[in-house]
């Protein structure tokens, strides 16, 4: 943002956790070449990784050079940070596939930005163990390594222990920083809060072997203020960037259901909207929270970024139709999406509504379904109903929306049989 320096924007967006800079404004005094590594232990990145990508984008918007690293080597080892026990090692073919997936997602999220993509397997696959021990291991003291939180926890009383394989992870990451310092002039590493110790390994290694200064900035973990849990973890698990793992519908709905307390922070972290735009959105939202304008803006912007504008507009249209409880405006493709994503049943004029409530999973029994109807808690296309059977006029274009209660999630698509 033209009205903010890099250090100001990082702090405004909440991207600064720890830093080796005594004064963050040092960032504003020169052009930096930075690197940020992305894990390849899964075949998709998550919204937690997306926060890291948006962190990188702030630097890139301010004209700094980005080296994005896919961890083809380090993912074969497994990062012990944040883990209470050893990871299950994955084979080389799996990691290679995951790296390819990560690279495609990085290219998509960073469309329009210049960056260099590297894979640390390229400079480690032919590394000889004696060279590693003499050239890298010699420069690390055991004392500070065993005192690092995640290692001390694993080694302490009640800990699961740690293998030499995972213990060596931090040396490999330090070697990555040194390699990129030598080859690309990288003097700054970005990482997550849980990577602070690993990032310092590279800073120390560059100082010891090259006599030069390098720096680190980590971003804090994004916490869901409503639940206190790591953001992006839902009841079903992680929220993925891959549409095969988290569909665009579920992805959009995840953001649409963001908590009121955290939505302003999410807008700053997960979108590229500037301060004036976010301030205006939050002003409008605080004037009428029932409008959920902040969540709608958030969901649209992030879905557009990850899945494209066409998909974002499609999800907006579907959500508006279901919220209004009128499916008349949906096209066949949008109806097909609903059929996959929300409870679905078939019925005909004369079918018993209680039976369909049970079939769609909106009631556990016919007795409960009848009680919902008697309590005026059931609606058809947005209209409360106390009748027992569907009528011909309930079906619009061969379909209707059945809802129990007020919640969006308690809706079912019913199609005429």
């Amino acid at each position: 943002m033209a009205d903010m320096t890099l250090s100001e924007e990082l702090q405004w967006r909440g991207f600064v956790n720890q830093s080796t800079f005594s004064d963050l404004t040092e960032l504003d005094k020169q052009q930096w070449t930075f690197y940020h590594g992305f894990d390849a232990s899964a075949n998709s990145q998550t919204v937690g990784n997306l926060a890291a990508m948006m962190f990188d984008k702030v630097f890139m918007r301010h004209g700094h050079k980005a080296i994005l690293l896919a961890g083809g080597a380090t993912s074969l080892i497994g990062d012990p940070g944040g883990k209470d026990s050893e990871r299950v090692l994955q084979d080389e073919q799996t990691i290679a596939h995951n790296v390819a997936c990560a690279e495609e997602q990085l290219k998509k999220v960073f469309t329009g930005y210049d960056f260099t993509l590297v894979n640390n397997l390229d400079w480690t696959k032919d590394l000889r163990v004696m060279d590693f021990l003499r050239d890298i291991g010699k420069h690390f003291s055991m004392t500070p390594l065993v005192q690092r939180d995640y290692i001390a926890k694993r080694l302490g009383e009640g800990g699961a222990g740690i293998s030499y394989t995972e213990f060596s992870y931090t040396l490999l990451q330090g070697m990555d920083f040194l390699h990129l310092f030598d080859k690309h002039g990288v003097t700054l590493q970005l990482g997550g809060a849980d990577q602070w110790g690993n990032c310092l390994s590279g800073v120390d290694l560059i100082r010891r072997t090259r006599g030069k200064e390098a720096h680190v900035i980590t971003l804090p973990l994004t916490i869901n203020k409503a639940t206190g849990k790591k953001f992006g973890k839902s009841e079903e698990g992680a929220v993925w960037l891959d549409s095969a793992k988290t569909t665009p519908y579920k992805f959009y709905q995840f953001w649409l259901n963001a908590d009121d307390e955290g939505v302003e922070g999410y807008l700053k972290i997960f979108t590229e909207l500037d301060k004036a735009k976010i301030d205006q959105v939050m002003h409008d939202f605080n004037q009428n929270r029932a409008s959920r304008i902040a969540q709608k803006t958030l969901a649209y912007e992030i879905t557009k970024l990850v899945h494209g504008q066409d998909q974002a507009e499609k999800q907006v249209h579907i959500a508006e139709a279901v919220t209004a409880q009128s499916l008349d405006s949906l096209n066949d493709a949008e109806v097909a999406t609903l059929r996959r994503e929300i409870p679905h049943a078939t019925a005909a004029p004369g079918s018993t509504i209680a039976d369909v409530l049970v079939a769609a999973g909106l009631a556990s029994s016919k007795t409960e379904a009848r009680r919902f109807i008697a309590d005026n808690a059931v609606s058809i296309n947005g209209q409360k109903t106390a009748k027992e059977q569907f009528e011909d006029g309930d079906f619009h274009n061969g379909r209707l929306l059945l809802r129990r209660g007020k919640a969006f999630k308690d809706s079912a698509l019913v199609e005429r049989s």
Side-chain angles (χ1 to χ4, degrees):
M1 294 186 293
D3 58 335
M4 286 189 184
T5 64
L6 172 60
S7 62
E8 288 171 340
E9 184 173 356
L10 288 172
Q11 292 178 91
W12 173 70
R13 290 192 183 273
F15 274 139
V16 181
N17 181 53
Q18 290 178 284
S19 172
T20 53
F21 292 102
S22 57
D23 183 349
L24 206 63
T25 61
E26 291 295 316
L27 282 171
D28 306 323
K29 298 178 181 179
Q30 69 178 74
Q31 292 299 109
W32 296 89
T33 299
F34 71 90
Y35 101 91
H36 197 156
F38 290 87
D39 184 55
S41 59
N43 61 3
S44 174
Q45 302 291 294
T46 69
V47 295
N49 304 122
L50 182 61
M53 297 176 200
M54 303 307 286
F55 183 32
D56 298 343
K57 278 189 169 186
V58 178
F59 283 83
M60 296 159 81
R61 284 198 300 274
H62 284 267
H64 302 285
K65 184 177 179 180
I67 309 292
L68 303 181
L69 181 149
T74 39
S75 296
L76 284 167
I77 299 302
D79 181 2
K83 299 295 181 182
D84 293 329
S85 59
E86 290 277 325
R87 292 172 182 256
V88 176
L89 293 181
Q90 300 184 77
D91 60 57
E92 293 184 24
Q93 185 176 4
T94 298
I95 294 298
H97 172 71
N98 293 348
V99 166
C101 292
E103 290 176 342
E104 285 305 307
Q105 289 181 343
L106 290 170
K107 289 175 183 176
K108 188 170 185 179
V109 171
F110 287 101
T111 297
Y113 288 84
D114 290 327
F115 62 92
T116 299
L117 192 62
V118 298
N119 180 349
N120 58 14
L121 188 61
D122 291 342
W123 57 85
T124 55
K125 62 184 178 181
D126 297 323
L127 182 66
R128 298 193 312 167
V129 66
M130 292 305 298
D131 293 338
F132 176 71
L133 293 174
R134 289 176 62 85
D135 298 340
I136 304 299
K138 185 65 176 176
H139 299 287
F140 285 85
S141 168
M142 289 292 292
T143 304
L145 291 181
V146 298
Q147 291 174 345
R148 290 197 178 159
D149 289 346
Y150 63 89
I151 294 178
K153 183 179 179 182
R154 294 269 287 273
L155 292 176
E157 185 177 352
I162 187 169
S163 69
Y164 181 76
T165 298
E166 286 199 357
F167 184 82
S168 68
Y169 181 95
T170 192
L171 278 69
L172 289 173
Q173 188 164 320
M175 186 176 69
D176 288 344
F177 201 166
L178 178 62
H179 174 86
L180 295 173
F181 173 87
D182 288 341
K183 185 168 184 178
H184 296 281
V186 171
T187 54
L188 175 63
Q189 182 178 1
L190 308 186
D194 58 349
Q195 291 295 307
W196 174 249
N198 290 334
C199 294
L200 290 181
S201 291
V203 171
D204 291 341
L205 187 60
I206 290 169
R207 176 175 53 81
R208 291 173 184 273
T209 61
R210 303 294 185 265
K212 300 292 185 179
E213 185 178 59
H215 287 281
V216 172
I217 301 176
T218 60
L219 76 159
L221 295 177
T222 306
I223 302 299
N224 186 324
K225 293 183 178 180
T227 65
K229 296 180 179 179
K230 186 177 177 180
F231 193 73
K233 296 291 185 181
S234 67
E235 292 180 1
E236 294 78 29
V239 178
W240 304 93
L241 305 191
D242 186 341
S243 61
K245 295 170 76 73
T246 299
T247 65
Y249 175 89
K250 286 187 171 68
F251 189 83
Y252 181 87
Q253 289 294 320
F254 173 80
W255 299 104
L256 192 63
N257 290 309
D259 56 291
D260 288 355
E261 294 78 9
V263 68
E264 182 175 6
Y266 307 150
L267 281 165
K268 292 176 181 178
I269 292 169
F270 292 103
T271 79
E272 295 182 81
L273 299 177
D274 62 20
K275 186 176 186 301
K277 176 62 176 177
I278 291 176
D279 285 348
Q280 183 62 55
V281 169
M282 291 310 300
H283 174 270
D284 295 345
F285 173 65
N286 288 319
Q287 293 294 308
N288 177 18
R289 290 202 166 195
S291 71
R292 300 187 68 75
I293 184 63
Q295 285 88 346
K296 291 176 182 178
T297 302
L298 177 71
Y300 174 77
E301 291 293 331
I302 306 181
T303 304
K304 180 175 69 172
L305 172 68
V306 174
H307 296 296
Q309 185 170 349
D310 288 349
Q311 192 61 251
E313 291 176 354
K314 175 182 177 180
Q315 300 309 324
V316 169
H317 192 210
I318 291 172
E320 288 176 344
V322 177
T323 299
Q325 300 189 64
S326 174
L327 308 183
D328 294 357
S329 64
L330 297 185
N331 59 37
D332 289 344
E334 291 165 339
V335 171
T337 295
L338 268 187
R339 193 180 295 122
R340 291 190 301 268
E341 300 288 354
I342 71 172
H344 172 250
T346 58
S351 296
T352 302
I353 295 174
D355 289 340
V356 178
L357 285 167
V358 174
L362 301 183
S364 60
S365 66
K366 290 179 68 172
T367 299
E368 185 179 55
R370 292 191 189 99
R371 185 169 71 251
F372 288 146
I373 295 170
D375 291 343
N376 204 33
V378 175
S379 60
I380 298 173
N381 299 325
Q383 301 298 314
K384 296 289 185 181
T385 185
K387 63 189 180 185
E388 294 184 358
Q389 297 177 331
F390 292 110
E391 298 174 356
D392 186 69
D394 295 328
F395 294 89
H396 299 174
N397 300 320
R399 64 186 73 100
L400 61 85
L401 191 73
L402 184 65
R403 180 171 292 179
R404 185 210 73 213
K406 298 180 179 180
F408 187 105
K409 64 182 180 64
D410 294 322
S411 302
L413 171 66
V414 180
E415 294 187 280
R416 188 165 182 162
S417 58

